[in-house]
Amino acid sequence: MVKAVVLGASGGIGQPLSLLLKASPLVDELSLYDVVNTPGVTADLSHISSVAKITGYLPEDDGLKHALTGADVVVIPAGIPRKPGMTRDDLFKINAGIVRDLVKGIAEFSPKAFILVISNPVNSTVPIAAEVLKNANVFDPKRLFGVTTLDVVRAETFVQAITGTKDPAKTTIPVIGGHSGETIVPLFSQAKPAIEIPEEKLDALVNRVQFGGDEVVKAKNGAGSATLSMAYAGFRFAEKIIKAAKGEKGIVEPTYVYLPGVPGGEEIAKETGVDYFSVPVQLGPSGAEHANNPLGLLNAYEKKLLEPCTAGLKGNIEKGIEFVRNPPPK
Ligand SMILES: NC(=O)C1=CN([C@@H]2O[C@H](COP(=O)(O)OP(=O)(O)OC[C@H]3O[C@@H](n4cnc5c(N)ncnc54)[C@H](O)[C@@H]3O)[C@@H](O)[C@H]2O)C=CC1
Ligand SMILES: O=C([O-])CC(=O)C(=O)O
C-alpha cells in the first residue's frame, strides 16, 4: 500500500502532478491538501477510473493532519512562483514560512514519509525542512529530497538538438549542485551513452539548462513559472522513489540531499565545502542509500562551473538554516 500526499495540490504544479499520481498504478491512496480549492480538484480527479483512492483537505478541521496521516511519500509544491525579473531567492520571504509550517506538520503526522521538496528556492527550502525535522527529533537525511529532476529533464531535452536522438529521455545526464542559475551544473561529459558536444555549442547549452526556468517565466509573462514540465519531472522522481521503496534495484537519480547524512555523501561535502548538494543518488527501500561522487570525473570546464555553484549554494543554505535557528521577528 502506498499513500502519496501533495501539499499545494490546487496550484499550477499541484493539479497536473496530482493527476499523474492519481493515474499511476503505483499509488493506492492519494491525499490532496491546499489552502484553497482542494474540494473541487479532488472531486474532479475522483471520477478517474484508476486504483488510487483520493481524499482532499483544506486547513480547517485538522485538514493537514488528515492528509498526512499514514503518508509514505509527501510532495511539496506549495508556495508562490516567480514573475519576470524575480530570482528564486526573491521567493524566500513567503515560501520559507510555508515550507517550515508544512514540514512541522509532516514531523508531527507522518515523520517516516519520504519528503520531496519542490517549493523554491529549493537551495534554501530543503535546509529549512531539515532544521524543522531536526528540531522535532525526526530528521532522517535519507528521506528528505530537493527535487532537481526538471534540470535533468531539461538537459536531456536541450541536448537533443545536438545529438538528434529520437527519444531524449534515453540519454542520462547527471546534473549536480543546486536548483538556481549558476548553482545548476550539468555534466555532459558524463552522459550515458556518451555524447560529443562541439566546443562552440557548450556554453549556450549549459546556459540554457541553468536558466531554463527563466525561459518559461518570461514566456508566461507574469502568469507564473514552469508547471506542466515540473509536474512531469516531480512525478518522474516520485515514481522512482516509490519503485525503489518497493524494492526495485538500480535506480539512480540526481537529487538535492543533506550529504553528511547519506552514505558516500560525507566525502562530497568535504570536497565541495557544502552540506546540501545534488548528486546522483542511489535509491532504495530506506530512501537515499548512497550518494555517488561524480567530482573525480569532472573535466576542466565543469570544474570551473563548480566555483560559482558552491559559492552561491553556501549563502542559500546558510539563509535557510538561519531562518529556522534564528527566526525573523513576526
Ligand atoms: N523545484 C523545481 O524545479 C521547481 C519549483 N517550482 C516552485 O514550485 C512552487 C509552486 O509553483 P506553482 O505551482 O506554479 O505555484 P501556484 O501559485 O500555481 O501554486 C501554489 C499552490 O500552493 C498553495 N499554497 C500556498 N500556501 C500554502 C500552504 N501554506 N499550504 C498549502 N498550500 C499552499 C496555493 O494555494 C497554490 O494552490 C513555486 O515556489 C515555484 O517556484 C516551480 C517549478 C520548478
Ligand atoms: O524558474 C522558476 O522559478 C521555476 C523553476 O524552478 C524552474 O522552472 O526550474
Side-chain angles (χ1 to χ4, degrees):
M1 281 289 289
V2 171
K3 176 174 175 179
V5 179
V6 180
L7 305 180
S10 306
I13 296 166
Q15 290 201 37
L17 176 63
S18 300
L19 168 63
L20 292 168
L21 288 165
K22 172 72 177 101
S24 171
L26 295 171
V27 178
D28 301 290
E29 205 181 326
L30 177 64
S31 251
L32 309 184
Y33 175 83
D34 199 299
V35 290
V36 292
N37 298 338
T38 32
V41 176
T42 309
D44 190 353
L45 289 176
S46 74
H47 291 190
I48 293 174
S49 55
S50 61
V51 174
K53 182 175 154 277
I54 187 165
T55 49
Y57 301 93
L58 292 166
E60 46 261 38
D61 303 325
D62 284 335
L64 187 60
K65 175 180 172 181
H66 292 301
L68 288 171
T69 301
D72 299 292
V73 182
V74 181
V75 194
I76 315 181
I80 57 161
R82 286 199 285 166
K83 286 187 165 37
M86 290 170 84
T87 66
R88 288 184 185 78
D89 187 55
D90 293 334
L91 304 172
F92 187 98
K93 248 191 149 107
I94 293 178
N95 291 353
I98 293 177
V99 171
R100 177 198 56 207
D101 295 346
L102 291 173
V103 175
K104 275 186 189 166
I106 297 172
E108 190 173 352
F109 306 122
S110 57
K112 295 250 178 269
F114 296 115
I115 306 169
L116 281 52
V117 181
I118 292 174
S119 316
N120 272 316
V122 166
N123 294 357
S124 306
T125 51
V126 173
I128 288 172
E131 289 300 311
V132 170
L133 295 165
K134 276 186 210 167
N135 285 347
N137 289 318
V138 294
F139 182 40
D140 178 356
K142 291 163 83 179
R143 291 175 178 265
L144 175 65
F145 306 90
V147 183
T148 54
T149 320
L150 184 53
D151 305 317
V152 176
V153 168
R154 285 183 178 135
E156 291 169 359
T157 307
F158 300 158
V159 82
Q160 191 197 29
I162 295 169
T163 60
T165 51
K166 185 154 184 269
D167 183 353
K170 292 235 161 77
T171 309
T172 305
I173 299 155
V175 181
I176 64 169
H179 177 68
S180 70
E182 287 186 328
T183 70
I184 299 170
V185 177
L187 304 179
F188 289 103
S189 73
Q190 294 182 35
K192 281 198 183 108
I195 46 184
E196 203 63 55
I197 314 242
E199 212 183 307
E200 72 279 6
K201 293 196 171 163
L202 188 58
D203 277 345
L205 178 63
V206 168
N207 189 272
R208 194 168 176 214
V209 174
Q210 292 184 321
F211 296 93
D214 298 66
E215 205 177 289
V216 181
V217 169
K218 269 188 210 127
K220 291 203 173 177
N221 196 21
S225 55
T227 53
L228 302 171
S229 51
M230 183 59 234
Y232 168 84
F235 175 68
R236 181 168 126 169
F237 187 67
E239 224 185 358
K240 291 198 174 174
I241 291 279
I242 296 171
K243 283 182 177 169
K246 285 177 180 246
E248 194 174 312
K249 299 265 180 280
I251 301 181
V252 177
E253 190 69 29
T255 171
Y256 186 73
V257 290
Y258 177 66
L259 288 172
V262 176
E266 191 87 49
E267 184 194 313
I268 308 171
K270 271 197 201 116
E271 278 182 59
T272 56
V274 289
D275 281 350
Y276 292 87
F277 200 77
S278 190
V279 287
V281 168
Q282 214 168 291
L283 301 172
S286 63
E289 298 205 325
H290 193 269
N292 296 348
N293 188 347
L295 300 174
L297 297 169
L298 301 198
N299 60 28
Y301 181 90
E302 292 162 348
K303 273 190 192 140
K304 208 149 170 230
L305 293 178
L306 216 53
E307 289 164 25
C309 162
T310 51
L313 274 177
K314 271 184 193 140
N316 295 156
I317 293 166
E318 197 48 43
K319 189 170 171 182
I321 293 173
E322 272 305 294
F323 179 76
V324 181
R325 292 195 187 165
N326 294 305
K330 284 209 174 129

